[in-house]
Amino acid sequence: MEAGVACKLNYPTWIKSERFGGKSTGSLRFGRIAKQEHKTRVVVSAHFPVQTSSNRHRSVSLEVSCSSYTNFSASTMETGSIHAPYDEALMLKNKSLEVEPYLNGHSIYLVGLMGSGKTTVGKILSHVLSYSFCDSDSLIEQEVNGMSVAEIFKLHGESFFRKKETEVLQRLSSKKQLVVSTGGGAVVQDVNWYYMQKKGIVVWLDVPLEALAQRIAAVGTHSRPLLHYEDGDPYTKALKRLSYLLEQRGKNYAKANARVSLEEIAGKLGYRDVSDLTPTEIAIEALEQIEVYLKEEDGMAIAGL
Protein backbone atom coordinates (compact mmCIF):
# COMPACT_ATOMS: atom_id res chain seq x y z
CA MET A 1 0.00 0.00 0.00
CA GLU A 2 1.34 3.38 -0.90
CA ALA A 3 0.13 6.82 -0.01
CA GLY A 4 1.31 10.30 -0.78
CA VAL A 5 1.51 13.32 1.45
CA ALA A 6 2.88 16.79 0.91
CA CYS A 7 3.50 19.64 3.30
CA LYS A 8 5.20 23.01 3.23
CA LEU A 9 7.58 24.51 5.73
CA ASN A 10 8.53 28.12 6.27
CA TYR A 11 11.50 28.20 8.60
CA PRO A 12 13.53 31.34 9.34
CA THR A 13 17.07 30.40 10.26
CA TRP A 14 20.71 31.47 10.14
CA ILE A 15 22.97 29.59 7.75
CA LYS A 16 26.73 29.96 7.93
CA SER A 17 27.62 31.14 4.46
CA GLU A 18 31.16 29.74 4.48
CA ARG A 19 29.63 26.24 4.39
CA PHE A 20 28.36 26.85 0.90
CA GLY A 21 30.08 27.94 -2.22
CA GLY A 22 29.82 27.16 -5.89
CA LYS A 23 28.61 23.58 -5.93
CA SER A 24 28.20 21.98 -2.56
CA THR A 25 27.84 18.23 -2.44
CA GLY A 26 25.31 18.68 0.28
CA SER A 27 21.89 20.03 -0.14
CA LEU A 28 21.35 23.63 -1.17
CA ARG A 29 23.02 25.24 -4.18
CA PHE A 30 23.76 28.95 -4.01
CA GLY A 31 24.36 31.09 -7.11
CA ARG A 32 26.45 33.54 -5.13
CA ILE A 33 27.08 34.05 -1.46
CA ALA A 34 26.12 37.14 0.48
CA LYS A 35 28.21 37.58 3.59
CA GLN A 36 27.23 39.54 6.65
CA GLU A 37 29.47 38.54 9.50
CA HIS A 38 29.71 35.17 7.73
CA LYS A 39 25.99 34.59 8.14
CA THR A 40 22.99 35.09 5.90
CA ARG A 41 19.47 35.35 7.27
CA VAL A 42 17.15 33.32 5.06
CA VAL A 43 13.67 31.92 4.97
CA VAL A 44 13.59 28.31 3.84
CA SER A 45 10.37 27.28 2.12
CA ALA A 46 10.35 23.54 1.67
CA HIS A 47 7.94 21.29 -0.17
CA PHE A 48 7.97 17.66 0.91
CA PRO A 49 6.66 15.18 -1.66
CA VAL A 50 6.53 12.05 0.50
CA GLN A 51 5.88 8.66 -1.07
CA THR A 52 5.41 6.00 1.59
CA SER A 53 5.90 2.31 1.13
CA SER A 54 6.54 -0.77 3.20
CA ASN A 55 10.26 -0.02 2.99
CA ARG A 56 10.78 2.66 5.59
CA HIS A 57 14.47 2.94 4.83
CA ARG A 58 14.05 5.04 1.69
CA SER A 59 14.60 8.78 1.79
CA VAL A 60 12.40 11.61 0.70
CA SER A 61 13.42 14.49 -1.49
CA LEU A 62 12.92 17.94 -0.06
CA GLU A 63 12.65 20.69 -2.64
CA VAL A 64 13.91 23.79 -0.88
CA SER A 65 13.57 27.38 -2.02
CA CYS A 66 15.30 30.18 -0.11
CA SER A 67 14.82 33.91 -0.03
CA SER A 68 16.87 36.40 1.95
CA TYR A 69 15.71 38.66 4.77
CA THR A 70 18.40 41.15 3.73
CA ASN A 71 18.58 43.21 0.55
CA PHE A 72 19.41 40.32 -1.72
CA SER A 73 17.02 39.19 -4.40
CA ALA A 74 15.34 35.83 -4.26
CA SER A 75 17.46 34.70 -7.21
CA THR A 76 20.54 34.91 -4.99
CA MET A 77 19.83 31.42 -3.78
CA GLU A 78 18.68 28.68 -6.09
CA THR A 79 16.44 25.72 -5.47
CA GLY A 80 18.17 22.56 -4.36
CA SER A 81 17.28 19.30 -2.70
CA ILE A 82 18.24 17.38 0.40
CA HIS A 83 17.34 13.94 1.70
CA ALA A 84 15.75 13.18 5.04
CA PRO A 85 14.38 10.04 6.68
CA TYR A 86 10.68 9.36 6.78
CA ASP A 87 8.75 10.65 9.69
CA GLU A 88 8.47 7.79 12.18
CA ALA A 89 4.92 8.53 13.23
CA LEU A 90 3.73 8.54 9.63
CA MET A 91 5.50 5.28 8.89
CA LEU A 92 4.05 3.70 12.02
CA LYS A 93 0.52 4.74 11.10
CA ASN A 94 0.82 3.57 7.51
CA LYS A 95 2.22 0.22 8.59
CA SER A 96 -0.63 -0.23 11.08
CA LEU A 97 -3.14 0.40 8.28
CA GLU A 98 -1.44 -2.27 6.18
CA VAL A 99 -1.48 -4.82 9.00
CA GLU A 100 -5.01 -4.22 10.36
CA PRO A 101 -6.89 -6.21 7.67
CA TYR A 102 -4.71 -9.24 8.38
CA LEU A 103 -4.70 -8.75 12.15
CA ASN A 104 -8.49 -8.92 12.18
CA GLY A 105 -8.78 -7.77 15.80
CA HIS A 106 -6.52 -10.47 17.22
CA SER A 107 -4.59 -9.55 20.34
CA ILE A 108 -0.81 -9.15 20.46
CA TYR A 109 1.24 -10.65 23.30
CA LEU A 110 4.75 -9.30 23.71
CA VAL A 111 7.29 -11.67 25.28
CA GLY A 112 10.96 -11.27 26.08
CA LEU A 113 13.44 -10.95 28.89
CA MET A 114 13.10 -8.31 31.56
CA GLY A 115 13.98 -4.85 30.31
CA SER A 116 13.36 -5.68 26.65
CA GLY A 117 10.88 -2.80 26.25
CA LYS A 118 7.65 -4.77 26.15
CA THR A 119 5.66 -2.12 28.02
CA THR A 120 7.05 0.84 26.07
CA VAL A 121 6.62 -0.79 22.65
CA GLY A 122 3.27 -2.25 23.69
CA LYS A 123 1.82 1.16 24.49
CA ILE A 124 2.93 2.48 21.11
CA LEU A 125 1.33 -0.47 19.32
CA SER A 126 -1.91 -0.22 21.29
CA HIS A 127 -2.20 3.47 20.49
CA VAL A 128 -1.62 3.18 16.75
CA LEU A 129 -3.91 0.14 16.44
CA SER A 130 -6.59 1.62 18.76
CA TYR A 131 -6.21 -1.44 20.98
CA SER A 132 -6.32 -1.59 24.77
CA PHE A 133 -3.01 -2.06 26.58
CA CYS A 134 -2.48 -4.48 29.47
CA ASP A 135 0.59 -5.21 31.57
CA SER A 136 0.21 -8.70 33.05
CA ASP A 137 2.55 -7.92 35.96
CA SER A 138 0.47 -4.85 36.86
CA LEU A 139 -2.72 -6.91 36.77
CA ILE A 140 -1.16 -9.44 39.15
CA GLU A 141 -0.10 -6.63 41.49
CA GLN A 142 -3.67 -5.32 41.55
CA GLU A 143 -4.95 -8.76 42.52
CA VAL A 144 -2.51 -9.02 45.43
CA ASN A 145 -3.60 -5.81 47.17
CA GLY A 146 -1.23 -3.60 45.19
CA MET A 147 1.84 -5.55 46.27
CA SER A 148 4.80 -5.16 43.90
CA VAL A 149 6.18 -8.10 41.95
CA ALA A 150 9.33 -8.02 44.09
CA GLU A 151 7.22 -8.16 47.26
CA ILE A 152 5.10 -11.01 45.88
CA PHE A 153 8.23 -13.04 45.15
CA LYS A 154 9.60 -12.31 48.62
CA LEU A 155 6.44 -13.05 50.62
CA HIS A 156 4.70 -15.71 48.50
CA GLY A 157 7.40 -17.17 46.27
CA GLU A 158 7.76 -17.53 42.50
CA SER A 159 5.32 -20.45 42.20
CA PHE A 160 2.51 -18.31 43.64
CA PHE A 161 3.35 -15.54 41.19
CA ARG A 162 3.38 -17.93 38.21
CA LYS A 163 -0.02 -19.28 39.21
CA LYS A 164 -1.45 -15.75 39.28
CA GLU A 165 0.22 -15.03 35.94
CA THR A 166 -1.55 -17.97 34.33
CA GLU A 167 -4.89 -16.87 35.79
CA VAL A 168 -4.43 -13.38 34.34
CA LEU A 169 -3.51 -14.73 30.88
CA GLN A 170 -6.49 -17.06 30.97
CA ARG A 171 -8.85 -14.12 31.50
CA LEU A 172 -7.18 -12.01 28.82
CA SER A 173 -7.35 -14.87 26.31
CA SER A 174 -11.09 -14.45 25.93
CA LYS A 175 -10.70 -10.85 24.73
CA LYS A 176 -9.69 -9.34 21.42
CA GLN A 177 -7.95 -6.10 20.43
CA LEU A 178 -5.44 -6.13 23.25
CA VAL A 179 -1.71 -5.51 23.36
CA VAL A 180 -0.37 -7.41 26.36
CA SER A 181 3.04 -6.92 27.92
CA THR A 182 3.85 -10.21 29.64
CA GLY A 183 6.34 -11.02 32.37
CA GLY A 184 9.71 -12.36 31.30
CA GLY A 185 8.92 -15.86 32.57
CA ALA A 186 5.43 -16.19 31.12
CA VAL A 187 6.79 -18.33 28.28
CA VAL A 188 7.99 -21.12 30.57
CA GLN A 189 4.60 -22.75 31.17
CA ASP A 190 2.93 -24.47 28.22
CA VAL A 191 -0.53 -23.52 29.43
CA ASN A 192 0.37 -19.85 29.04
CA TRP A 193 1.16 -20.45 25.38
CA TYR A 194 -2.25 -21.97 24.92
CA TYR A 195 -3.93 -18.87 26.36
CA MET A 196 -1.73 -16.38 24.51
CA GLN A 197 -2.23 -18.04 21.14
CA LYS A 198 -5.91 -18.84 21.65
CA LYS A 199 -6.91 -15.51 20.11
CA GLY A 200 -3.58 -13.81 19.93
CA ILE A 201 -0.24 -13.47 18.19
CA VAL A 202 2.94 -13.76 20.24
CA VAL A 203 5.81 -11.41 19.39
CA TRP A 204 9.30 -11.86 20.87
CA LEU A 205 11.34 -8.71 21.46
CA ASP A 206 14.87 -10.09 21.09
CA VAL A 207 17.38 -7.67 22.63
CA PRO A 208 21.14 -8.36 23.03
CA LEU A 209 22.02 -9.30 26.60
CA GLU A 210 24.61 -6.54 26.96
CA ALA A 211 22.05 -3.90 26.02
CA LEU A 212 19.52 -5.37 28.46
CA ALA A 213 22.09 -5.40 31.27
CA GLN A 214 22.95 -1.77 30.59
CA ARG A 215 19.29 -0.75 30.67
CA ILE A 216 18.61 -2.58 33.92
CA ALA A 217 21.79 -1.35 35.60
CA ALA A 218 20.88 2.23 34.69
CA VAL A 219 17.54 2.08 36.54
CA GLY A 220 18.58 -0.30 39.31
CA THR A 221 17.90 -3.94 40.06
CA HIS A 222 15.73 -3.55 43.19
CA SER A 223 12.48 -4.14 41.27
CA ARG A 224 13.83 -7.26 39.53
CA PRO A 225 13.51 -10.13 42.04
CA LEU A 226 15.23 -12.70 39.84
CA LEU A 227 18.41 -10.57 39.86
CA HIS A 228 18.80 -10.80 43.62
CA TYR A 229 20.52 -14.17 43.30
CA GLU A 230 23.68 -12.69 41.77
CA ASP A 231 26.61 -10.80 43.30
CA GLY A 232 28.56 -7.88 41.90
CA ASP A 233 27.83 -4.45 40.49
CA PRO A 234 24.40 -3.86 38.88
CA TYR A 235 25.64 -4.47 35.33
CA THR A 236 27.48 -7.69 36.21
CA LYS A 237 24.54 -8.99 38.23
CA ALA A 238 22.14 -8.26 35.41
CA LEU A 239 24.34 -9.77 32.70
CA LYS A 240 24.98 -12.99 34.65
CA ARG A 241 21.34 -13.55 35.46
CA LEU A 242 20.07 -12.61 32.01
CA SER A 243 22.54 -15.04 30.43
CA TYR A 244 21.23 -17.80 32.68
CA LEU A 245 17.59 -16.93 32.00
CA LEU A 246 18.09 -16.81 28.23
CA GLU A 247 19.75 -20.23 28.37
CA GLN A 248 16.73 -21.55 30.25
CA ARG A 249 14.04 -19.78 28.22
CA GLY A 250 15.57 -19.31 24.78
CA LYS A 251 13.72 -22.23 23.21
CA ASN A 252 10.46 -20.94 24.67
CA TYR A 253 10.92 -17.44 23.27
CA ALA A 254 11.72 -18.97 19.88
CA LYS A 255 8.19 -20.44 19.77
CA ALA A 256 6.78 -16.93 19.25
CA ASN A 257 4.85 -16.31 16.03
CA ALA A 258 7.05 -13.33 15.20
CA ARG A 259 10.54 -12.28 16.30
CA VAL A 260 11.73 -8.69 16.47
CA SER A 261 15.53 -8.64 16.57
CA LEU A 262 16.94 -5.29 17.62
CA GLU A 263 20.32 -6.24 16.16
CA GLU A 264 18.71 -6.82 12.77
CA ILE A 265 16.79 -3.53 12.93
CA ALA A 266 19.97 -1.63 13.82
CA GLY A 267 21.78 -3.29 10.93
CA LYS A 268 19.06 -2.35 8.44
CA LEU A 269 18.98 1.25 9.63
CA GLY A 270 22.75 1.61 9.77
CA TYR A 271 23.00 2.09 13.52
CA ARG A 272 26.13 0.99 15.35
CA ASP A 273 24.31 0.20 18.57
CA VAL A 274 20.81 -1.04 19.34
CA SER A 275 20.56 1.69 21.99
CA ASP A 276 20.26 4.18 19.11
CA LEU A 277 16.93 2.66 18.09
CA THR A 278 13.76 4.48 19.08
CA PRO A 279 10.75 2.63 20.52
CA THR A 280 8.77 3.70 17.45
CA GLU A 281 11.30 2.07 15.09
CA ILE A 282 10.99 -1.13 17.10
CA ALA A 283 7.19 -0.92 16.97
CA ILE A 284 7.30 -0.50 13.18
CA GLU A 285 9.45 -3.61 12.90
CA ALA A 286 7.04 -5.49 15.16
CA LEU A 287 4.16 -4.64 12.82
CA GLU A 288 6.22 -5.70 9.82
CA GLN A 289 7.01 -9.07 11.40
CA ILE A 290 3.38 -9.56 12.40
CA GLU A 291 2.37 -8.82 8.82
CA VAL A 292 4.88 -11.34 7.48
CA TYR A 293 3.55 -13.99 9.84
CA LEU A 294 -0.12 -13.30 9.08
CA LYS A 295 0.46 -13.43 5.34
CA GLU A 296 1.78 -16.95 5.72
CA GLU A 297 -0.65 -19.81 5.50
CA ASP A 298 -0.64 -20.68 9.22
CA GLY A 299 -1.02 -17.06 10.26
CA MET A 300 -3.95 -16.50 7.93
CA ALA A 301 -5.66 -19.56 9.32
CA ILE A 302 -5.24 -18.27 12.85
CA ALA A 303 -6.57 -14.87 11.83
CA GLY A 304 -9.57 -16.52 10.16
CA LEU A 305 -8.71 -15.21 6.69
Side-chain angles (χ1 to χ4, degrees):
M1 177 184 294
E2 293 195 354
V5 65
C7 60
K8 291 186 178 181
L9 168 71
N10 288 312
Y11 184 72
T13 187
W14 286 101
I15 298 177
K16 290 187 177 181
S17 58
E18 63 266 23
R19 291 184 182 178
F20 304 96
K23 285 187 177 180
S24 71
T25 54
S27 328
L28 302 176
R29 292 180 290 107
F30 289 75
R32 60 187 174 91
I33 299 300
K35 295 185 178 180
Q36 180 182 352
E37 298 178 348
H38 301 290
K39 292 182 180 180
T40 302
R41 187 74 185 278
V42 300
V43 176
V44 180
S45 299
H47 180 70
F48 299 77
V50 181
Q51 193 75 16
T52 64
S53 72
S54 59
N55 180 2
R56 71 177 182 276
H57 314 302
R58 292 173 53 198
S59 296
V60 295
S61 178
L62 281 65
E63 299 173 359
V64 182
S65 299
C66 302
S67 58
S68 172
Y69 268 163
T70 56
N71 294 325
F72 307 106
S73 66
S75 62
T76 300
M77 303 173 201
E78 301 171 3
T79 298
S81 64
I82 62 177
H83 289 83
Y86 277 123
D87 177 75
E88 287 182 354
L90 178 63
M91 287 301 301
L92 179 67
K93 185 59 181 176
N94 285 344
K95 177 52 63 178
S96 72
L97 293 175
E98 292 178 6
V99 174
E100 279 178 345
Y102 297 97
L103 195 56
N104 199 25
H106 282 68
S107 295
I108 298 171
Y109 291 82
L110 299 178
V111 301
L113 287 167
M114 63 181 80
S116 57
K118 299 184 293 289
T119 297
T120 301
V121 174
K123 289 180 178 179
I124 294 173
L125 290 173
S126 66
H127 176 74
V128 76
L129 293 169
S130 298
Y131 274 26
S132 297
F133 174 78
C134 296
D135 184 308
S136 64
D137 283 356
S138 296
L139 294 176
I140 295 169
E141 290 173 341
Q142 291 174 19
E143 287 199 1
V144 191
N145 301 318
M147 194 178 295
S148 70
V149 172
E151 291 172 328
I152 295 172
F153 267 72
K154 184 177 181 179
L155 295 177
H156 300 286
E158 184 175 356
S159 59
F160 173 86
F161 177 84
R162 297 302 174 198
K163 179 181 178 182
K164 288 292 182 183
E165 186 173 56
T166 298
E167 291 174 359
V168 165
L169 292 175
Q170 181 182 17
R171 290 199 302 272
L172 295 177
S173 69
S174 63
K175 304 179 185 300
K176 298 186 71 173
Q177 294 187 317
L178 297 178
V179 176
V180 181
S181 170
T182 68
V187 297
V188 175
Q189 300 189 72
D190 290 338
V191 66
N192 292 345
W193 281 97
Y194 169 76
Y195 292 132
M196 290 189 292
Q197 294 182 323
K198 183 179 178 181
K199 291 184 179 179
I201 298 159
V202 182
V203 179
W204 173 25
L205 298 187
D206 184 8
V207 185
L209 295 180
E210 294 79 6
L212 285 178
Q214 289 173 356
R215 289 182 187 178
I216 293 171
V219 299
T221 60
H222 62 280
S223 64
R224 308 286 185 178
L226 293 182
L227 297 181
H228 297 168
Y229 300 100
E230 304 293 342
D231 297 322
D233 62 88
Y235 175 80
T236 302
K237 287 172 61 176
L239 186 59
K240 285 181 179 179
R241 193 61 180 176
L242 289 167
S243 298
Y244 170 78
L245 292 174
L246 183 60
E247 184 179 347
Q248 297 297 311
R249 302 172 181 172
K251 291 182 179 179
N252 299 98
Y253 289 134
K255 293 192 296 185
N257 303 120
R259 172 175 169 262
V260 177
S261 168
L262 268 64
E263 283 188 323
E264 292 180 6
I265 306 173
K268 286 193 291 186
L269 296 179
Y271 295 153
R272 294 183 177 180
D273 197 298
V274 297
S275 62
D276 295 327
L277 292 169
T278 67
T280 300
E281 287 171 330
I282 299 170
I284 292 171
E285 180 70 14
L287 289 174
E288 289 186 350
Q289 294 304 320
I290 290 170
E291 182 181 26
V292 169
Y293 166 69
L294 289 176
K295 284 183 175 180
E296 295 175 352
E297 185 176 352
D298 291 343
M300 292 181 70
I302 287 174
L305 297 176

